[in-house]
Amino acid sequence: MPKVTQEYICNKKKKITDAAYELCLEKTVCTVTMQDIINRTGLSQGGIYRFYHDIDEIFGDMLAELRKEITIKETLDEILAREDSLSGSEIIDLVFDMLADNMEKELLYTQKIDFEMSMLAINAPERVNKILAVAKGTSNKEYLIMRTAECLNKKIAQSEITPRISAAELIAYISASYTGIQSTCIIQTCYNKMPVDEVFQPRMRFRILAKAVKYFLGIDE
């Protein structure tokens, strides 16, 4: 029997996770089944289970790949690296424009999957915990919150800004608002299949959020 190489294993697993990704775009995450993936890949049931114990392990590897391919981390780091040469207002505008760019580009793709994973977490938290344990790494939203908190706490400590609310409260507000923007835009675009008018465009909503954040930070426009 010929020796199975690591490259062979990686290629087979990539074929499986690619199929899972395609199916998650066509259906909702919670309705994708192992049989769907078997049918899409053309592999036998034994061929699939040779590499994965269940569908949640497949989703975990799928998320890990998406986190590597679709990331805001480098762009966010580049913006925050300029914090000494930019005003607080300019930094906020750049960060939220970046979030709008990413959401507009990925609304029907990774944003949809991320939203549906959040819904799955409500109904089956043990499944999502397992998926995230396999995926490892840090999501875009988690990284945004972490780096934003670091920047805010630094500027507060240096008395560069005098916020109206605490850094923890502001981070909670940004996190909840991000989720609200994502869910509203996705429900309108992906499920209602309605034209995306200005009210449901991420960019307009993120610019409103940027104004609110500036107010809470005590930053004048």
Side-chain angles (χ1 to χ4, degrees):
M1 179 179 295
K3 183 179 179 181
V4 175
T5 65
Q6 189 61 39
E7 181 181 10
Y8 173 87
I9 295 172
C10 289
N11 288 339
K12 286 294 185 182
K13 294 181 79 170
K14 182 69 163 57
K15 182 176 182 178
I16 295 168
T17 55
D18 283 351
Y21 174 71
E22 292 170 3
L23 289 161
C24 285
L25 299 184
E26 296 170 13
K27 307 175 66 174
T28 57
V29 168
C30 65
T31 61
V32 176
T33 65
M34 188 67 92
Q35 189 60 51
D36 290 331
I37 297 175
I38 290 170
N39 294 342
R40 180 59 58 94
T41 59
L43 296 172
S44 66
Q45 188 176 57
I48 292 282
Y49 284 103
R50 180 180 182 185
F51 301 102
Y52 291 103
H53 289 98
D54 56 35
I55 195 169
D56 291 336
E57 284 191 1
I58 296 175
F59 283 160
D61 270 0
M62 178 189 75
L63 281 186
E65 290 179 18
L66 292 178
R67 286 180 175 182
K68 292 177 183 177
E69 295 173 6
I70 312 296
T71 178
I72 65 169
K73 297 174 185 177
E74 289 184 7
T75 305
L76 180 61
D77 286 343
E78 289 171 2
I79 293 171
L80 297 182
R82 300 166 60 196
E83 61 182 339
D84 293 333
S85 61
L86 295 173
S87 68
S89 180
E90 289 172 325
I91 290 174
I92 291 169
D93 285 339
L94 287 171
V95 169
F96 285 102
D97 277 347
M98 173 202 65
L99 292 176
D101 288 340
N102 179 261
M103 189 169 288
E104 286 179 347
K105 179 182 177 183
E106 294 296 324
L107 192 62
L108 298 175
Y109 306 101
T110 58
Q111 292 287 335
K112 173 186 179 292
I113 292 173
D114 181 61
F115 171 71
E116 290 176 354
M117 284 290 179
S118 298
M119 295 302 98
L120 183 62
I122 296 173
N123 298 304
E126 69 288 345
R127 284 193 62 192
V128 174
N129 287 337
K130 180 178 179 179
I131 292 168
L132 294 178
V134 174
K136 300 179 181 178
T138 305
S139 70
N140 281 335
K141 182 179 175 182
E142 291 168 339
Y143 193 75
L144 170 69
I145 292 170
M146 178 183 70
R147 294 289 282 118
T148 302
E150 290 174 357
C151 182
L152 287 178
N153 286 322
K154 176 182 176 182
K155 287 190 173 295
I156 292 171
Q158 294 173 345
S159 300
E160 292 183 32
I161 57 175
T162 306
R164 290 180 167 91
I165 60 178
S166 70
E169 289 172 323
L170 183 58
I171 292 300
Y173 174 75
I174 293 173
S175 177
S177 298
Y178 180 98
T179 300
I181 292 171
Q182 182 189 56
S183 60
T184 301
C185 293
I186 286 173
I187 289 170
Q188 178 74 2
T189 307
C190 298
Y191 309 128
N192 292 344
K193 305 296 182 182
M194 299 291 288
V196 184
D197 58 29
E198 185 178 3
V199 174
F200 294 102
Q201 289 180 0
R203 189 166 305 279
M204 183 273 286
R205 288 173 174 257
F206 274 117
R207 285 180 175 168
I208 293 173
L209 178 56
K211 290 182 179 181
V213 169
K214 290 177 189 180
Y215 171 79
F216 286 132
L217 287 175
I219 296 173
D220 295 327
E221 288 280 357

